[in-house]
Amino acid sequence: LRFLCYANDGIDQHMIWLIGLKNIFARQLPNMPKEYIVRLVMDRSHKSMMVIRHNNVVGGITYRPYTSQKFGEIAFCAITGDEQVKGYGTRLMNHLKQHARDVDGLTHFLTYADNNAVGYFIKQGFTKEITFEKERWHGYIKDYDGGILMEYKIDPKLPYTD
Ligand code: ACO
C-alpha cells in the first residue's frame, strides 16, 4: 500500500492515477458536476494525495495548497465504494496532514464538508468552529452553500504516520 501525492505534472503514470481518482470522485460525489471534478483534479495548482494498492487507486484527497497563506483547501475526498470503512480514509488523511506540514509548510486545512461526511471529518479532528483568522483565508476560498465549512489545525510536531 502506498500513499503518494502528485499534481498534474505530465508524467504518464501520475496522469493514469489522477484519472482513476477523478472516476472515484465522480461516482462517490454524485452531486458534484463531473466537469468541475475533472477541472480541479487536473488543475496544476491542485495536488492529490492518493492511496495506491497493486498499482490501482483506491481513493484520495484533492486539495489546493495556498502556500503564501499557509493553508490548504480540501476540494474532494473519497474512497472507492467497496473499500470504505476499512480505515483507508483515516490513513489517507494522516498522510495528507504530514505532507501538508512537511512539504507544503501549511498550518491549517479548510473544507466544505458534505452533510453526510461531517462525521468522518470530526473523527479526523476537524471542527465546525473556525479559529483560523478570516484575513488569512477570506478571498481565497469561495462561499459555497452545499456544505459545512470545517477547519483542521495541523499539529507542528506530531508524527502523523509511521
Ligand atoms: N459519517 C460518519 N462517520 C464516518 C463516515 C461518515 N460518512 N465515513 C466514515 N466514518 C467513520 C468510520 O466509521 C470510522 O470510525 P471509527 O474510527 O470509529 O471506526 C472513521 O470515520 C474512519 O473511517 P475510515 O474507514 O477511515 O473511512 P473511509 O475509508 O470509509 O473514508 C470517506 C471515509 C472518505 C468519507 C468514505 O467513506 C467515502 O468516500 N465516502 C463517500 C464520499 C464522501 O462522502 N466524501 C466526502 C465528501 S466531502 C468532501 O469531499 C470535501
Side-chain angles (χ1 to χ4, degrees), residues 89-117:
T90 299
R91 294 182 65 189
L92 180 66
M93 186 62 80
N94 284 333
H95 278 83
L96 177 65
K97 290 168 179 172
Q98 182 109 20
H99 180 95
R101 180 186 65 199
D102 299 347
V103 178
D104 301 324
L106 309 183
T107 62
H108 290 75
F109 278 118
L110 291 173
T111 192
Y112 281 102
D114 285 0
N115 278 302
N116 57 12

PDB file of all heavy atoms in Angstrom, residues 89-117:
ATOM      1  N   GLY A  89      -9.558   5.816   4.717  1.00  0.00           N
ATOM      2  CA  GLY A  89      -9.830   7.257   4.784  1.00  0.00           C
ATOM      3  C   GLY A  89      -9.034   7.938   5.887  1.00  0.00           C
ATOM      4  O   GLY A  89      -8.531   9.049   5.710  1.00  0.00           O
ATOM      5  N   THR A  90      -8.887   7.261   7.020  1.00  0.00           N
ATOM      6  CA  THR A  90      -8.119   7.814   8.142  1.00  0.00           C
ATOM      7  C   THR A  90      -6.635   7.842   7.812  1.00  0.00           C
ATOM      8  O   THR A  90      -5.964   8.850   8.034  1.00  0.00           O
ATOM      9  CB  THR A  90      -8.359   6.955   9.406  1.00  0.00           C
ATOM     10  OG1 THR A  90      -9.753   7.023   9.700  1.00  0.00           O
ATOM     11  CG2 THR A  90      -7.562   7.456  10.597  1.00  0.00           C
ATOM     12  N   ARG A  91      -6.113   6.759   7.258  1.00  0.00           N
ATOM     13  CA  ARG A  91      -4.684   6.725   6.926  1.00  0.00           C
ATOM     14  C   ARG A  91      -4.346   7.753   5.853  1.00  0.00           C
ATOM     15  O   ARG A  91      -3.304   8.405   5.899  1.00  0.00           O
ATOM     16  CB  ARG A  91      -4.291   5.318   6.470  1.00  0.00           C
ATOM     17  CG  ARG A  91      -4.409   4.307   7.608  1.00  0.00           C
ATOM     18  CD  ARG A  91      -3.991   2.922   7.192  1.00  0.00           C
ATOM     19  NE  ARG A  91      -2.570   2.855   6.863  1.00  0.00           N
ATOM     20  CZ  ARG A  91      -1.978   1.800   6.295  1.00  0.00           C
ATOM     21  NH1 ARG A  91      -2.707   0.733   5.990  1.00  0.00           N
ATOM     22  NH2 ARG A  91      -0.691   1.818   6.023  1.00  0.00           N
ATOM     23  N   LEU A  92      -5.264   7.898   4.896  1.00  0.00           N
ATOM     24  CA  LEU A  92      -5.087   8.886   3.832  1.00  0.00           C
ATOM     25  C   LEU A  92      -4.976  10.294   4.420  1.00  0.00           C
ATOM     26  O   LEU A  92      -4.067  11.068   4.076  1.00  0.00           O
ATOM     27  CB  LEU A  92      -6.299   8.787   2.900  1.00  0.00           C
ATOM     28  CG  LEU A  92      -6.366   9.699   1.701  1.00  0.00           C
ATOM     29  CD1 LEU A  92      -5.261   9.352   0.706  1.00  0.00           C
ATOM     30  CD2 LEU A  92      -7.734   9.560   1.030  1.00  0.00           C
ATOM     31  N   MET A  93      -5.888  10.632   5.316  1.00  0.00           N
ATOM     32  CA  MET A  93      -5.889  11.967   5.918  1.00  0.00           C
ATOM     33  C   MET A  93      -4.611  12.185   6.731  1.00  0.00           C
ATOM     34  O   MET A  93      -4.040  13.279   6.713  1.00  0.00           O
ATOM     35  CB  MET A  93      -7.137  12.145   6.791  1.00  0.00           C
ATOM     36  CG  MET A  93      -7.309  13.539   7.336  1.00  0.00           C
ATOM     37  SD  MET A  93      -7.530  14.821   6.067  1.00  0.00           S
ATOM     38  CE  MET A  93      -9.270  14.614   5.683  1.00  0.00           C
ATOM     39  N   ASN A  94      -4.137  11.151   7.427  1.00  0.00           N
ATOM     40  CA  ASN A  94      -2.889  11.299   8.196  1.00  0.00           C
ATOM     41  C   ASN A  94      -1.708  11.579   7.274  1.00  0.00           C
ATOM     42  O   ASN A  94      -0.866  12.424   7.576  1.00  0.00           O
ATOM     43  CB  ASN A  94      -2.634  10.059   9.051  1.00  0.00           C
ATOM     44  CG  ASN A  94      -3.538  10.037  10.270  1.00  0.00           C
ATOM     45  OD1 ASN A  94      -3.970  11.085  10.748  1.00  0.00           O
ATOM     46  ND2 ASN A  94      -3.846   8.848  10.774  1.00  0.00           N
ATOM     47  N   HIS A  95      -1.654  10.887   6.138  1.00  0.00           N
ATOM     48  CA  HIS A  95      -0.571  11.156   5.185  1.00  0.00           C
ATOM     49  C   HIS A  95      -0.686  12.567   4.612  1.00  0.00           C
ATOM     50  O   HIS A  95       0.325  13.236   4.395  1.00  0.00           O
ATOM     51  CB  HIS A  95      -0.550  10.100   4.068  1.00  0.00           C
ATOM     52  CG  HIS A  95       0.145   8.846   4.489  1.00  0.00           C
ATOM     53  ND1 HIS A  95      -0.478   7.852   5.217  1.00  0.00           N
ATOM     54  CD2 HIS A  95       1.430   8.449   4.338  1.00  0.00           C
ATOM     55  CE1 HIS A  95       0.406   6.887   5.472  1.00  0.00           C
ATOM     56  NE2 HIS A  95       1.561   7.229   4.954  1.00  0.00           N
ATOM     57  N   LEU A  96      -1.903  13.003   4.379  1.00  0.00           N
ATOM     58  CA  LEU A  96      -2.087  14.356   3.861  1.00  0.00           C
ATOM     59  C   LEU A  96      -1.620  15.399   4.881  1.00  0.00           C
ATOM     60  O   LEU A  96      -0.934  16.363   4.531  1.00  0.00           O
ATOM     61  CB  LEU A  96      -3.560  14.599   3.500  1.00  0.00           C
ATOM     62  CG  LEU A  96      -3.841  16.018   3.007  1.00  0.00           C
ATOM     63  CD1 LEU A  96      -3.135  16.292   1.683  1.00  0.00           C
ATOM     64  CD2 LEU A  96      -5.338  16.255   2.858  1.00  0.00           C
ATOM     65  N   LYS A  97      -1.980  15.211   6.151  1.00  0.00           N
ATOM     66  CA  LYS A  97      -1.572  16.166   7.195  1.00  0.00           C
ATOM     67  C   LYS A  97      -0.048  16.268   7.260  1.00  0.00           C
ATOM     68  O   LYS A  97       0.511  17.363   7.338  1.00  0.00           O
ATOM     69  CB  LYS A  97      -2.129  15.722   8.558  1.00  0.00           C
ATOM     70  CG  LYS A  97      -3.646  15.872   8.681  1.00  0.00           C
ATOM     71  CD  LYS A  97      -4.146  15.141   9.926  1.00  0.00           C
ATOM     72  CE  LYS A  97      -5.655  15.292  10.104  1.00  0.00           C
ATOM     73  NZ  LYS A  97      -6.155  14.413  11.205  1.00  0.00           N
ATOM     74  N   GLN A  98       0.610  15.101   7.231  1.00  0.00           N
ATOM     75  CA  GLN A  98       2.073  15.071   7.319  1.00  0.00           C
ATOM     76  C   GLN A  98       2.709  15.774   6.111  1.00  0.00           C
ATOM     77  O   GLN A  98       3.625  16.582   6.261  1.00  0.00           O
ATOM     78  CB  GLN A  98       2.533  13.606   7.379  1.00  0.00           C
ATOM     79  CG  GLN A  98       4.026  13.424   7.516  1.00  0.00           C
ATOM     80  CD  GLN A  98       4.418  12.921   8.902  1.00  0.00           C
ATOM     81  OE1 GLN A  98       3.607  12.363   9.633  1.00  0.00           O
ATOM     82  NE2 GLN A  98       5.656  13.141   9.253  1.00  0.00           N
ATOM     83  N   HIS A  99       2.205  15.466   4.920  1.00  0.00           N
ATOM     84  CA  HIS A  99       2.737  16.048   3.683  1.00  0.00           C
ATOM     85  C   HIS A  99       2.502  17.563   3.652  1.00  0.00           C
ATOM     86  O   HIS A  99       3.403  18.339   3.308  1.00  0.00           O
ATOM     87  CB  HIS A  99       2.054  15.377   2.481  1.00  0.00           C
ATOM     88  CG  HIS A  99       2.508  15.887   1.154  1.00  0.00           C
ATOM     89  ND1 HIS A  99       3.507  15.282   0.425  1.00  0.00           N
ATOM     90  CD2 HIS A  99       2.099  16.959   0.423  1.00  0.00           C
ATOM     91  CE1 HIS A  99       3.693  15.952  -0.697  1.00  0.00           C
ATOM     92  NE2 HIS A  99       2.856  16.964  -0.724  1.00  0.00           N
ATOM     93  N   ALA A 100       1.302  17.985   4.039  1.00  0.00           N
ATOM     94  CA  ALA A 100       0.948  19.410   4.002  1.00  0.00           C
ATOM     95  C   ALA A 100       1.855  20.203   4.944  1.00  0.00           C
ATOM     96  O   ALA A 100       2.286  21.307   4.619  1.00  0.00           O
ATOM     97  CB  ALA A 100      -0.507  19.595   4.388  1.00  0.00           C
ATOM     98  N   ARG A 101       2.154  19.640   6.094  1.00  0.00           N
ATOM     99  CA  ARG A 101       3.026  20.328   7.048  1.00  0.00           C
ATOM    100  C   ARG A 101       4.481  20.302   6.570  1.00  0.00           C
ATOM    101  O   ARG A 101       5.137  21.341   6.501  1.00  0.00           O
ATOM    102  CB  ARG A 101       2.926  19.657   8.419  1.00  0.00           C
ATOM    103  CG  ARG A 101       3.819  20.316   9.471  1.00  0.00           C
ATOM    104  CD  ARG A 101       3.803  19.540  10.769  1.00  0.00           C
ATOM    105  NE  ARG A 101       4.380  18.212  10.607  1.00  0.00           N
ATOM    106  CZ  ARG A 101       4.169  17.192  11.452  1.00  0.00           C
ATOM    107  NH1 ARG A 101       3.388  17.348  12.500  1.00  0.00           N
ATOM    108  NH2 ARG A 101       4.739  16.023  11.243  1.00  0.00           N
ATOM    109  N   ASP A 102       4.989  19.092   6.235  1.00  0.00           N
ATOM    110  CA  ASP A 102       6.429  18.938   5.998  1.00  0.00           C
ATOM    111  C   ASP A 102       6.870  19.325   4.589  1.00  0.00           C
ATOM    112  O   ASP A 102       8.010  19.723   4.395  1.00  0.00           O
ATOM    113  CB  ASP A 102       6.844  17.490   6.299  1.00  0.00           C
ATOM    114  CG  ASP A 102       6.566  17.111   7.747  1.00  0.00           C
ATOM    115  OD1 ASP A 102       6.294  18.025   8.563  1.00  0.00           O
ATOM    116  OD2 ASP A 102       6.598  15.906   8.076  1.00  0.00           O
ATOM    117  N   VAL A 103       5.995  19.197   3.610  1.00  0.00           N
ATOM    118  CA  VAL A 103       6.367  19.533   2.225  1.00  0.00           C
ATOM    119  C   VAL A 103       5.811  20.906   1.817  1.00  0.00           C
ATOM    120  O   VAL A 103       6.531  21.734   1.272  1.00  0.00           O
ATOM    121  CB  VAL A 103       5.896  18.429   1.236  1.00  0.00           C
ATOM    122  CG1 VAL A 103       6.245  18.796  -0.204  1.00  0.00           C
ATOM    123  CG2 VAL A 103       6.503  17.079   1.615  1.00  0.00           C
ATOM    124  N   ASP A 104       4.523  21.168   2.105  1.00  0.00           N
ATOM    125  CA  ASP A 104       3.908  22.432   1.680  1.00  0.00           C
ATOM    126  C   ASP A 104       4.084  23.551   2.712  1.00  0.00           C
ATOM    127  O   ASP A 104       3.866  24.718   2.396  1.00  0.00           O
ATOM    128  CB  ASP A 104       2.391  22.248   1.458  1.00  0.00           C
ATOM    129  CG  ASP A 104       2.064  21.192   0.403  1.00  0.00           C
ATOM    130  OD1 ASP A 104       2.810  21.093  -0.582  1.00  0.00           O
ATOM    131  OD2 ASP A 104       1.048  20.476   0.576  1.00  0.00           O
ATOM    132  N   GLY A 105       4.385  23.203   3.962  1.00  0.00           N
ATOM    133  CA  GLY A 105       4.535  24.226   5.003  1.00  0.00           C
ATOM    134  C   GLY A 105       3.216  24.817   5.477  1.00  0.00           C
ATOM    135  O   GLY A 105       3.160  25.976   5.883  1.00  0.00           O
ATOM    136  N   LEU A 106       2.144  24.023   5.447  1.00  0.00           N
ATOM    137  CA  LEU A 106       0.820  24.531   5.845  1.00  0.00           C
ATOM    138  C   LEU A 106       0.579  24.348   7.339  1.00  0.00           C
ATOM    139  O   LEU A 106       1.151  23.444   7.971  1.00  0.00           O
ATOM    140  CB  LEU A 106      -0.282  23.804   5.065  1.00  0.00           C
ATOM    141  CG  LEU A 106      -0.128  23.741   3.540  1.00  0.00           C
ATOM    142  CD1 LEU A 106      -1.338  23.055   2.913  1.00  0.00           C
ATOM    143  CD2 LEU A 106       0.078  25.125   2.943  1.00  0.00           C
ATOM    144  N   THR A 107      -0.285  25.196   7.888  1.00  0.00           N
ATOM    145  CA  THR A 107      -0.667  25.081   9.306  1.00  0.00           C
ATOM    146  C   THR A 107      -2.132  24.686   9.473  1.00  0.00           C
ATOM    147  O   THR A 107      -2.516  24.244  10.561  1.00  0.00           O
ATOM    148  CB  THR A 107      -0.447  26.415  10.052  1.00  0.00           C
ATOM    149  OG1 THR A 107      -1.296  27.418   9.467  1.00  0.00           O
ATOM    150  CG2 THR A 107       1.012  26.875   9.971  1.00  0.00           C
ATOM    151  N   HIS A 108      -2.957  24.897   8.445  1.00  0.00           N
ATOM    152  CA  HIS A 108      -4.396  24.624   8.575  1.00  0.00           C
ATOM    153  C   HIS A 108      -4.966  24.023   7.289  1.00  0.00           C
ATOM    154  O   HIS A 108      -4.432  24.256   6.199  1.00  0.00           O
ATOM    155  CB  HIS A 108      -5.179  25.928   8.830  1.00  0.00           C
ATOM    156  CG  HIS A 108      -4.942  26.535  10.177  1.00  0.00           C
ATOM    157  ND1 HIS A 108      -3.795  27.209  10.487  1.00  0.00           N
ATOM    158  CD2 HIS A 108      -5.722  26.561  11.291  1.00  0.00           C
ATOM    159  CE1 HIS A 108      -3.865  27.638  11.742  1.00  0.00           C
ATOM    160  NE2 HIS A 108      -5.025  27.253  12.256  1.00  0.00           N
ATOM    161  N   PHE A 109      -6.066  23.321   7.480  1.00  0.00           N
ATOM    162  CA  PHE A 109      -6.907  22.909   6.347  1.00  0.00           C
ATOM    163  C   PHE A 109      -8.283  23.509   6.539  1.00  0.00           C
ATOM    164  O   PHE A 109      -8.771  23.606   7.671  1.00  0.00           O
ATOM    165  CB  PHE A 109      -7.101  21.385   6.312  1.00  0.00           C
ATOM    166  CG  PHE A 109      -5.969  20.647   5.685  1.00  0.00           C
ATOM    167  CD1 PHE A 109      -5.241  19.735   6.430  1.00  0.00           C
ATOM    168  CD2 PHE A 109      -5.630  20.851   4.358  1.00  0.00           C
ATOM    169  CE1 PHE A 109      -4.186  19.050   5.864  1.00  0.00           C
ATOM    170  CE2 PHE A 109      -4.585  20.164   3.778  1.00  0.00           C
ATOM    171  CZ  PHE A 109      -3.858  19.260   4.535  1.00  0.00           C
ATOM    172  N   LEU A 110      -8.902  23.847   5.428  1.00  0.00           N
ATOM    173  CA  LEU A 110     -10.318  24.213   5.444  1.00  0.00           C
ATOM    174  C   LEU A 110     -10.999  23.338   4.415  1.00  0.00           C
ATOM    175  O   LEU A 110     -10.394  22.963   3.393  1.00  0.00           O
ATOM    176  CB  LEU A 110     -10.512  25.690   5.068  1.00  0.00           C
ATOM    177  CG  LEU A 110     -10.012  26.724   6.079  1.00  0.00           C
ATOM    178  CD1 LEU A 110     -10.115  28.126   5.482  1.00  0.00           C
ATOM    179  CD2 LEU A 110     -10.810  26.655   7.382  1.00  0.00           C
ATOM    180  N   THR A 111     -12.244  22.990   4.676  1.00  0.00           N
ATOM    181  CA  THR A 111     -13.008  22.224   3.682  1.00  0.00           C
ATOM    182  C   THR A 111     -14.491  22.477   3.861  1.00  0.00           C
ATOM    183  O   THR A 111     -14.954  22.760   4.981  1.00  0.00           O
ATOM    184  CB  THR A 111     -12.719  20.714   3.766  1.00  0.00           C
ATOM    185  OG1 THR A 111     -13.274  20.071   2.610  1.00  0.00           O
ATOM    186  CG2 THR A 111     -13.301  20.057   5.021  1.00  0.00           C
ATOM    187  N   TYR A 112     -15.215  22.420   2.770  1.00  0.00           N
ATOM    188  CA  TYR A 112     -16.676  22.401   2.844  1.00  0.00           C
ATOM    189  C   TYR A 112     -17.074  20.930   2.825  1.00  0.00           C
ATOM    190  O   TYR A 112     -16.986  20.274   1.786  1.00  0.00           O
ATOM    191  CB  TYR A 112     -17.291  23.145   1.657  1.00  0.00           C
ATOM    192  CG  TYR A 112     -17.256  24.645   1.841  1.00  0.00           C
ATOM    193  CD1 TYR A 112     -16.314  25.426   1.187  1.00  0.00           C
ATOM    194  CD2 TYR A 112     -18.168  25.276   2.686  1.00  0.00           C
ATOM    195  CE1 TYR A 112     -16.281  26.813   1.361  1.00  0.00           C
ATOM    196  CE2 TYR A 112     -18.144  26.651   2.869  1.00  0.00           C
ATOM    197  CZ  TYR A 112     -17.199  27.412   2.205  1.00  0.00           C
ATOM    198  OH  TYR A 112     -17.164  28.769   2.382  1.00  0.00           O
ATOM    199  N   ALA A 113     -17.472  20.431   3.983  1.00  0.00           N
ATOM    200  CA  ALA A 113     -17.828  19.013   4.090  1.00  0.00           C
ATOM    201  C   ALA A 113     -19.291  18.800   3.720  1.00  0.00           C
ATOM    202  O   ALA A 113     -20.144  19.585   4.125  1.00  0.00           O
ATOM    203  CB  ALA A 113     -17.574  18.524   5.511  1.00  0.00           C
ATOM    204  N   ASP A 114     -19.554  17.726   2.974  1.00  0.00           N
ATOM    205  CA  ASP A 114     -20.945  17.309   2.738  1.00  0.00           C
ATOM    206  C   ASP A 114     -21.552  16.954   4.095  1.00  0.00           C
ATOM    207  O   ASP A 114     -20.852  16.433   4.960  1.00  0.00           O
ATOM    208  CB  ASP A 114     -20.992  16.017   1.908  1.00  0.00           C
ATOM    209  CG  ASP A 114     -20.672  16.241   0.448  1.00  0.00           C
ATOM    210  OD1 ASP A 114     -20.417  17.393   0.068  1.00  0.00           O
ATOM    211  OD2 ASP A 114     -20.665  15.238  -0.288  1.00  0.00           O
ATOM    212  N   ASN A 115     -22.854  17.187   4.218  1.00  0.00           N
ATOM    213  CA  ASN A 115     -23.534  16.852   5.474  1.00  0.00           C
ATOM    214  C   ASN A 115     -23.220  15.444   5.965  1.00  0.00           C
ATOM    215  O   ASN A 115     -22.930  15.253   7.138  1.00  0.00           O
ATOM    216  CB  ASN A 115     -25.042  16.984   5.287  1.00  0.00           C
ATOM    217  CG  ASN A 115     -25.454  18.432   5.433  1.00  0.00           C
ATOM    218  OD1 ASN A 115     -25.207  19.041   6.472  1.00  0.00           O
ATOM    219  ND2 ASN A 115     -26.030  18.994   4.391  1.00  0.00           N
ATOM    220  N   ASN A 116     -23.238  14.471   5.041  1.00  0.00           N
ATOM    221  CA  ASN A 116     -23.039  13.084   5.462  1.00  0.00           C
ATOM    222  C   ASN A 116     -21.574  12.730   5.704  1.00  0.00           C
ATOM    223  O   ASN A 116     -21.281  11.626   6.159  1.00  0.00           O
ATOM    224  CB  ASN A 116     -23.701  12.110   4.475  1.00  0.00           C
ATOM    225  CG  ASN A 116     -23.179  12.287   3.064  1.00  0.00           C
ATOM    226  OD1 ASN A 116     -22.172  12.969   2.846  1.00  0.00           O
ATOM    227  ND2 ASN A 116     -23.842  11.687   2.100  1.00  0.00           N
ATOM    228  N   ALA A 117     -20.653  13.669   5.421  1.00  0.00           N
ATOM    229  CA  ALA A 117     -19.234  13.388   5.669  1.00  0.00           C
ATOM    230  C   ALA A 117     -18.721  14.134   6.904  1.00  0.00           C
ATOM    231  O   ALA A 117     -17.555  13.964   7.275  1.00  0.00           O
ATOM    232  CB  ALA A 117     -18.401  13.755   4.447  1.00  0.00           C
TER     233      ALA A 117
END
